[in-house]
Amino acid sequence: MASYKSPIVDIHTHVYPPSYIELLKSRSSIPYIRSFPPSFALRLVILPAEDTESTSRGRPVGSEYYDINKKIEFMDTHSIDISVISLANPWLDWVPAAEAAKAAEGINNEVNEECGKFPGRLFAFGTLPLSGGKEVIVKEIARLKELKYMRGIILGTTGLGKGLDDPELLPIFQALQDAKLPIFLHPHYGLPGSVWGERASDYGHVLPLALGFPLETTIAVTRMILSGVFEKVSDLQMILAHSGGTLPFLAGRIESCIEHDAHLKAEGKLGKGRKTVWEILKKNIYLDAVIYGEIGLKAAIQASGEDRVMFGTDHPFFPPLEEGGGKWLSVETNYEAIKGELGSGSEEAKGALGGNAINVLNLRV
Ligand code: URA
Ligand code: ZN
């Protein structure tokens, strides 16, 4: 009998396509890329917290950030059959309004073409020209729907500048629902620097990445829930980065706070027709499995269901600190969590590792 390996799909994996890198190199404020003499090595600075001497100004940016062949090399090293690539943060959030439409069109076409170089192995989440205004955004959604390898869009938490509970976003969510393009929600901005205290710079990237990122996602989705987005655009589909931040763990508390809020009750917002946080988690939300531990993964599975959780790597972020090839600890940790929680070789593990993504995102050519 021919041996059969179930496919492994990475739905959380980023690129900065070459034209985006060029854009960043032309800039001197965040986000930007430049070298800091006497070194010639290029560094990527995307977060305010890393634009300081003490954090050595950002991170080294090598070809793994922009060369699609490096993505395939990484996939082969980690037995990943298919990747759904997305532009890394901060996307096009910072692009001046007048340039947004052209920038998004160029980047999305470029990413789609890169996928076409490896048919069947690469798909993508597109990027929206958020600063360009509603018409430009809706037009790009319609265009993305026609691009062969696009399977959704990646979105940060600021939306049009006022967060994802902004009513101005409803037509955009509606257009995404109508186009059947899920939103891959990804953090970037974290929490205000003041919450990390005076010694924050002693602790490297740990506080903003381990806590700021997941809390940013949790707050953004909770605001969407509170504003009624999931009742108004009832089939909107979202894939939340980092297993939903802390949403699965806090869902009960959020739901209880809603049920006990006199203001919401007085406004008639607790009546029939309200979707509970639990219902939203099971109907509108998918979670990646980028959580690096069995307990977090268990919470994600219990919250949304084992058919709604999907493997990811966050490549090219979190490379091993030691130089040299081979497998990445960050990736292996996520593999181990899936195997530990769902059982090595089980149908559920196969789903989380790839089957769910293939079904949900229609990853067949
Ligand atoms: N750091 C980032 O800026 N983005 C990621 O996706 C992961 C780590
Ligand atoms: Zn990421």
Side-chain angles (χ1 to χ4, degrees), residues 12-14 89 184 186 213 241-242 314 317:
H12 187 154
T13 181
H14 303 292
N89 48 308
F184 176 32
H186 193 290
F213 265 30
H242 315 124
D314 223 345
F317 299 106

Side-chain angles (χ1 to χ4, degrees), residues 63-76:
S63 56
E64 66 280 10
Y65 279 82
Y66 52 81
D67 182 350
I68 203 67
N69 296 299
K70 291 280 176 191
K71 182 70 75 188
I72 297 289
E73 229 174 76
F74 167 83
M75 289 164 64
D76 291 342

Side-chain angles (χ1 to χ4, degrees), residues 289-340:
V290 183
I291 190 71
Y292 312 99
E294 283 180 42
I295 293 180
L297 189 62
K298 188 195 277 289
I301 290 167
Q302 290 199 352
S304 285
E306 60 202 15
D307 54 344
R308 298 181 82 87
V309 169
M310 308 182 222
F311 173 74
T313 62
D314 223 345
H315 178 259
F317 299 106
F318 305 109
L321 294 180
E322 310 300 324
E323 295 275 325
K327 296 198 172 175
W328 289 24
L329 174 65
S330 55
V331 179
E332 291 300 294
T333 309
N334 280 325
Y335 269 134
E336 288 309 316
I338 291 178
K339 285 184 197 151

